[in-house]
Amino acid sequence: MAPGKKGILERLNAGEVVIGDGGFVFALEKRGYVKAGPWTPEAAAEYPEAVRQLHREFLRAGANVMQTFTFYASDDKLENRGNKLSFTGAQINEAACDLARQVANEGDALVAGGVCQTPSYLSCKSEADVKAIFKKQLDVFVKKNVDFLIAEYFEHVEEAVWAVEVLKETGKPVAACLCIGPEGDMHGVSPGECAVRLVKAGAQIVGVNCHFDPMTCVKAVKLMKEGVEKAGLKAHYMVQPLAYHTPDCNCQGFIDLPEFPFGLEPRILTRWDMHKYAREAYNVGIRFIGGCCGFEPYHIRAVAEELAAERGIMPAGSEKHGMWGAGLEMHTKPWVRARARRDYWENLKPASGRPLCPSLATPDSWGVTKGHADLMQQKEATSKDQLKQLFDRSKSH
């Protein structure tokens, strides 16, 4: 950490608001640097300029955590289902750490090294096997001296606890996020109980990320907070949700939606929705507020603008953005100038422009999770016969 910078716990202990960054995997897929399906982060080594630029855009938008682009960078995921890469997990993780640090040093930002759920856990490998995967990633984070660690995107609290137990061995601050909603993890463990287990395992910051929209995620973290307090424990809280509306999702979240992943655009939250999200998160006591899949820099800027008074600073990117549409005062058309006011945007109900489309979808709801034969992973590419079975099965749902 650069001299003079406060650490993550120092900031949170002082009551400061920490703004996370956004969803690198989805953002870089749209830009042509990540392949949908494996969702692996080899772009950190393959196209470093693209990753660096996205970090800079989030920094300019107000983020003061640069999360290493190491999502799904465990060796078992990099080699899963025929995925063949010219970079090792270590090379990707090292490149991601260097990029995050370079941009963090351009502002008052910290670097967080991240690990996430593994195919090995879904395939019922042992605790020792799964922990060894986390340890291999952790060695790089220690070598590169990241400022703190995040275990994120875990559908099962059991695996998240294993990750926390490995990460805490470094002595660095540890945050842990599950990709769950108010119903709890995929084995039915409630958000409150999940949080208690994570705190007891050694996480100082707990929360949720991905899978659900902002308000759903805030509700889940509120339940976590209530569980931790009821247990007589203490923690800080974080939330990094989707930028998609998901009122029709079940406990599996947005990956069960028929639009996932290539038809989600009609569900994207506006920047004004993000103002409401930031305020709600702050009001329930969450102080680490960021985003996950679907979040672009302008979403994070909206979060930072909403909480500018609490943070005592406006993001650099607000130089090119009038608060609540104020920049429209300079528009050539008078009816557009008439929209340069907060009440217009705060009360707008955006149309989709799709008159034949439903407002809600029916999730797939296959109902499988860790331990089910359908989730056993393999190094070999998915065969045509395996695909045919899936296609036939999908028709019956």
Side-chain angles (χ1 to χ4, degrees):
M1 191 158 53
K5 280 191 182 180
K6 292 187 288 186
I8 186 65
L9 294 180
E10 189 178 358
R11 297 179 192 213
L12 293 173
N13 286 338
E16 294 182 22
V17 175
V18 174
I19 305 292
D21 54 15
F24 271 62
V25 172
F26 268 44
L28 289 170
E29 191 278 332
K30 288 179 171 63
R31 290 159 169 78
Y33 299 104
V34 165
K35 180 182 284 188
W39 304 109
T40 47
E42 62 272 14
E46 200 172 26
Y47 299 106
E49 71 286 352
V51 178
R52 184 186 298 112
Q53 176 61 22
L54 191 55
H55 275 305
R56 282 186 173 138
E57 290 178 21
F58 280 117
L59 181 73
R60 179 173 169 79
N64 49 3
V65 171
M66 298 291 106
Q67 199 165 326
T68 58
F69 185 41
T70 52
F71 179 80
Y72 272 163
S74 60
D75 286 338
D76 63 336
K77 184 67 173 80
L78 294 171
E79 299 170 352
N80 197 45
R81 294 199 173 274
N83 197 27
K84 298 187 187 305
L85 301 177
S86 54
F87 298 96
T88 66
Q91 288 173 321
I92 293 169
N93 287 326
E94 288 197 17
C97 288
D98 290 341
L99 292 168
R101 177 61 71 192
Q102 178 186 350
V103 177
N105 287 346
E106 295 172 6
D108 184 33
L110 302 173
V111 175
V115 301
C116 61
Q117 66 182 10
T118 64
S120 291
Y121 179 81
L122 291 179
S123 298
C124 300
K125 295 289 182 66
S126 70
E127 178 179 346
D129 288 339
V130 173
K131 283 185 169 180
I133 292 168
F134 295 139
K135 178 64 166 61
K136 193 171 183 180
Q137 288 183 271
L138 187 61
D139 288 343
V140 173
F141 297 142
V142 171
K143 175 183 176 182
K144 293 295 183 177
N145 196 27
V146 300
D147 299 317
F148 69 103
L149 299 160
I150 301 178
E152 68 165 6
Y153 196 77
F154 285 87
E155 296 174 308
H156 306 87
V157 68
E158 179 182 52
E159 187 184 16
V161 165
W162 295 352
V164 170
E165 288 172 348
V166 173
L167 299 184
K168 74 173 186 179
E169 293 175 3
T170 64
K172 293 181 180 291
V174 175
C177 279
L178 302 174
C179 49
I180 66 172
E183 295 180 43
D185 83 347
M186 293 303 294
H187 283 159
V189 182
S190 72
E193 176 59 23
C194 285
V196 168
R197 294 185 192 182
L198 293 170
V199 172
K200 287 183 175 179
Q204 295 107 325
I205 309 164
V206 295
V208 299
N209 79 296
C210 206
H211 274 207
F212 296 93
D213 61 44
M215 293 309 187
T216 303
C217 286
V218 169
K219 182 178 179 181
V221 178
K222 184 179 180 182
L223 293 172
M224 285 183 152
K225 185 172 183 285
E226 290 171 358
V228 170
E229 291 172 351
K230 185 177 180 180
L233 302 171
K234 290 185 178 180
H236 295 291
Y237 301 94
M238 68 182 292
V239 61
Q240 302 209 98
L242 299 175
Y244 303 108
H245 292 284
T246 61
D248 40 358
C249 281
N250 56 25
C251 66
Q252 183 73 75
F254 81 141
I255 62 174
D256 265 16
L257 292 174
E259 303 99 322
F260 176 86
F262 300 126
L264 290 165
E265 284 81 358
R267 294 174 176 264
I268 293 176
L269 276 75
T270 68
R271 65 192 70 195
W272 317 117
D273 293 323
M274 293 301 177
H275 278 264
K276 295 175 185 176
Y277 150 59
R279 183 54 55 193
E280 182 66 15
Y282 184 87
N283 285 345
V284 303
I286 302 169
R287 293 295 179 267
F288 187 154
I289 305 170
C292 199
C293 299
F295 266 75
E296 292 283 345
Y298 74 95
H299 289 125
I300 291 297
R301 182 179 63 188
V303 171
E305 287 181 345
E306 175 63 29
L307 299 173
E310 288 79 4
R311 299 178 76 213
I313 187 172
M314 285 287 281
S318 294
E319 168 196 0
K320 297 295 186 181
H321 184 245
M323 284 287 284
W324 295 105
L328 298 181
E329 295 171 3
M330 295 182 279
H331 201 278
T332 56
K333 303 297 189 293
W335 57 90
V336 178
R337 291 198 297 274
R339 299 170 190 160
R341 63 187 196 274
R342 176 171 181 164
D343 67 306
Y344 177 87
W345 295 109
E346 214 167 28
N347 296 306
L348 180 70
K349 290 182 170 53
S352 71
R354 298 174 181 269
L356 301 181
C357 291
S359 58
L360 301 176
T362 302
D364 281 341
S365 301
W366 282 27
V368 299
T369 187
K370 184 249 185 179
H372 194 285
D374 287 352
L375 282 184
M376 298 299 286
Q377 302 299 309
Q378 61 188 51
K379 280 191 177 183
E380 301 77 23
T382 307
S383 68
K384 290 183 178 180
D385 183 60
Q386 288 174 323
L387 284 173
K388 183 179 183 303
Q389 292 178 40
L390 293 174
F391 297 156
D392 290 343
R393 184 174 174 184
S394 68
K395 293 173 185 177
S396 66
H397 279 266

